[in-house]
Amino acid sequence: MNNNSYPWGFTKPKKISLVSLGCPKNQVDGEMILGALKKNGFEILENVDGSDVVIVNTCGFIESAKQEAIDTILDMAELKKEGTVKKILVTGCLAERYKEQLREEIPEIDGVIGIGANSDIVSVVSRLCEGETYECYPEKELLSMNGERELLNPSYYAYLKIAEGCSNHCTYCAIPLIRGEFRSRKMEEILEEAETLAENGVKELIVVAQDTTRYGEDLYGEGKLPELLKKLAGIEKIRWIRVLYCYPDRLTDELLETMAENEKILSYIDLPLQHADETVLRRMNRFGNKEKLISLIKHIRDIVPDVVLRTTLIVGFPGETEEAFETLSEFVNEARFDRLGCFTYSAEEDTPAASFPDQIDEQVKVDRCEIIMEQQNRIMDEINEEHIGKQFECVVEGYDDYADVFYGRSVMDAPEIDGIVSFTCGFELTEGEFVTVEIVGSNEYGLIGEVV
């Protein structure tokens, strides 16, 4: 290969690595960054050691995520001092939100770009490789949702981003400030990408957006998620379709019936409710109350009897009284979610809730979170007991040499956020293979079974 075959006339391929933080939606952005660089002749490393440029794709959603991003950048700065990496580029939500502050506070950073500059990543990385420093913050709406991807997770599943931004404007959330208003991706572009992923070995599509149930409203004048899911289910090589981030007010009977009627579309609904007390929900700029939410959950289970319901809750929101917390606690016991995550409220700069009166003491937040999770753990133990003797389809994810068992995920488990199923088998299994497992017990990590 002659010198001109490499970007910007480099005499050898430049080595790039990426550290991706935060949510699956941000991961998709990172995969597109790597896809563009690989397509243009850069060498992608699995490890940061030896990188000409290490890209830190940051999250900036809540305080703990921001701290993780800063700690990671500082770790890369130490590696740069040691000569393990040459250049540091910061992208993602933290870069979009704090812009010039990052390089002022961490001078070891060589480049910072907002999310709208991701489409120019080849030029940006090339500039850094030539010794330049670089900052660029175009309009966030310029972030492309199309392009080749280099998957950062095992090849048998992939996240499929169907929209960007959010227009719900919950008072605690900085996403509209960081990512802009909700904008759907064209259906034909989504289907084309899904076909490509399937051809490349992907068997499970995990549909993501800030609010998947809003999909299509801006482009087509009405919600189009059920239609999209049906078309995705028509892709022959796809085995499972999982949907995350469903907004409760937009969970239609059409969507529920689509899940109930199509085996490929998993009866798994991620429904981030955040709270159950009406006053707290109104202050969050969300709707409903305990009674309405219990009614919604009953309605879901009536239409999709085998549904797996996951939710996330926030405790310690400004003004959350003891009575409001008690309402939430009662709700958790009544709703009996299959999966639940609880988080303490984090006051985010420039969001309305950060300036609300009646902020809650940090220790009170922690105590309330522990109470909710103790309740949920008891519920999970009871649900796991009910699963003993049942059979579930599982995808094989690996083998635990120490425990001498295979492990994987059932239809009830999304990657990274839910549990695992450990199982024995009398013959060899391969990663990404689907098997039927009969449940014989459970432990703190999930279910235990054997292949049938």
Side-chain angles (χ1 to χ4, degrees):
M1 185 180 288
N2 61 47
N3 292 350
N4 293 331
S5 298
Y6 297 116
W8 289 49
F10 296 134
T11 57
K12 60 181 181 179
K14 294 295 182 178
K15 298 177 180 180
I16 312 298
S17 62
L18 181 138
V19 180
S20 190
L21 305 172
C23 70
K25 300 175 288 294
N26 199 47
Q27 178 179 319
V28 172
D29 292 347
E31 291 171 346
M32 289 179 61
I33 284 172
L34 292 181
L37 291 169
K38 184 175 181 179
K39 182 180 179 181
N40 283 274
F42 289 87
E43 181 181 345
I44 307 302
L45 303 180
E46 290 187 7
N47 191 286
V48 300
D49 293 355
S51 300
D52 291 296
V53 178
V54 57
I55 303 169
V56 183
N57 187 33
T58 60
C59 176
F61 180 47
I62 58 176
E63 189 59 38
S64 59
K66 288 186 282 187
Q67 190 58 54
E68 181 187 22
I70 291 168
D71 289 345
T72 302
I73 295 167
L74 292 173
D75 288 343
M76 295 305 107
E78 285 299 313
L79 294 178
K80 181 181 175 183
K81 289 177 185 176
E82 297 169 4
T84 304
V85 304
K86 293 180 181 178
K87 303 288 183 179
I88 301 170
L89 173 64
V90 181
T91 65
C93 290
L94 196 74
E96 178 65 37
R97 194 171 184 192
Y98 293 103
K99 297 182 168 65
E100 293 87 351
Q101 293 169 252
L102 279 169
R103 288 199 65 232
E104 288 176 6
E105 296 182 14
I106 310 177
E108 293 88 351
I109 295 172
D110 300 281
V112 183
I113 60 171
I115 61 173
N118 283 8
S119 299
D120 299 321
I121 193 66
V122 173
S123 171
V124 172
V125 170
S126 297
R127 288 173 182 271
L128 265 59
C129 289
E130 286 200 325
E132 296 183 37
T133 56
Y134 191 76
E135 293 183 46
C136 183
Y137 311 102
E139 292 297 317
K140 54 181 68 74
E141 287 76 17
L142 293 174
L143 174 68
S144 175
M145 288 182 271
N146 298 309
E148 295 183 17
R149 292 165 58 187
E150 185 77 5
L151 295 186
L152 292 169
N153 47 251
S155 61
Y156 50 85
Y157 75 87
Y159 297 102
L160 185 65
K161 186 157 72 167
I162 64 172
E164 184 52 79
C166 188
S167 298
N168 290 328
H169 295 281
C170 301
T171 58
Y172 54 82
C173 184
I175 292 299
L177 300 172
I178 300 170
R179 293 274 173 173
E181 295 296 304
F182 185 89
R183 49 202 185 275
S184 298
R185 192 176 170 197
K186 291 180 181 178
M187 191 177 297
E188 57 268 28
E189 294 172 349
I190 298 171
L191 295 171
E192 183 180 354
E193 180 180 17
E195 290 274 9
T196 300
L197 290 169
E199 287 301 319
N200 290 334
V202 168
K203 299 173 184 176
E204 178 183 7
L205 292 175
I206 305 171
V207 177
V208 295
Q210 294 299 338
D211 176 1
T212 52
T213 40
R214 198 180 191 124
Y215 173 73
E217 289 182 7
D218 54 325
L219 281 183
Y220 307 111
E222 60 181 341
K224 289 286 187 179
L225 182 59
E227 180 180 336
L228 173 63
L229 293 176
K230 290 173 187 174
K231 290 185 176 180
L232 290 172
I235 299 174
E236 185 179 350
K237 294 182 180 180
I238 295 299
R239 184 78 168 258
W240 284 355
I241 300 169
R242 190 184 300 275
V243 185
L244 301 184
Y245 314 118
C246 296
Y247 201 72
D249 292 14
R250 297 189 180 88
L251 201 66
T252 64
D253 284 1
E254 182 187 8
L255 176 57
L256 296 175
E257 288 162 3
T258 298
M259 289 183 168
E261 293 166 3
N262 195 304
E263 288 186 1
K264 284 189 179 183
I265 304 168
L266 301 183
S267 298
Y268 175 105
I269 300 177
D270 176 37
L271 199 67
L273 298 177
Q274 313 306 358
H275 215 279
D277 178 78
E278 186 168 11
T279 300
V280 173
L281 285 167
R282 279 204 307 268
R283 287 166 65 88
M284 288 179 166
N285 195 33
R286 296 176 71 94
F287 307 97
N289 54 39
K290 177 188 164 191
E291 291 71 28
K292 289 179 180 177
L293 293 175
I294 289 292
S295 177
L296 171 64
I297 290 165
K298 181 180 183 303
H299 185 67
I300 293 170
R301 287 171 170 156
D302 284 344
I303 297 178
V304 192
D306 61 343
V307 70
V308 175
L309 281 178
R310 153 171 266 285
T311 198
T312 49
L313 302 173
I314 297 172
V315 292
F317 189 79
E320 183 191 59
T321 62
E322 286 290 344
E323 291 77 15
F325 175 70
E326 185 62 31
T327 298
L328 179 63
S329 176
E330 291 171 358
F331 171 70
V332 169
N333 280 333
E334 288 183 40
R336 291 181 61 83
F337 287 97
D338 300 275
R339 306 285 185 265
L340 183 149
C342 186
F343 303 90
T344 57
Y345 166 72
S346 171
E348 295 305 310
E349 294 174 71
D350 302 322
T351 61
S355 60
F356 283 179
D358 304 321
Q359 298 284 330
I360 306 297
D361 178 78
E362 286 299 323
Q363 188 57 51
V364 172
K365 295 179 191 178
V366 171
D367 291 344
R368 289 177 178 178
C369 187
E370 288 178 353
I371 290 169
I372 294 296
M373 289 313 299
E374 284 174 5
Q375 289 179 233
Q376 181 60 25
N377 287 337
R378 288 196 298 271
I379 291 167
M380 280 291 299
D381 287 344
E382 292 168 6
I383 290 174
N384 284 342
E385 282 293 316
E386 294 168 5
H387 288 323
I388 293 175
K390 295 181 181 178
Q391 295 183 357
F392 295 100
E393 186 175 44
C394 296
V395 59
V396 180
E397 296 204 303
Y399 187 78
D400 184 337
D401 289 315
Y402 180 77
D404 196 26
V405 292
F406 292 95
Y407 61 89
R409 290 181 294 110
S410 73
V411 295
M412 301 182 290
D413 304 304
E416 306 295 332
I417 56 175
D418 293 324
I420 61 169
V421 182
S422 301
F423 45 89
T424 56
C425 184
F427 48 89
E428 191 60 37
L429 299 173
T430 58
E431 189 176 320
E433 183 178 352
F434 286 77
V435 294
T436 300
V437 175
E438 181 170 328
I439 305 305
V440 299
S442 64
N443 57 25
E444 60 183 307
Y445 305 108
L447 298 172
I448 300 169
E450 50 193 31
V451 172
V452 298

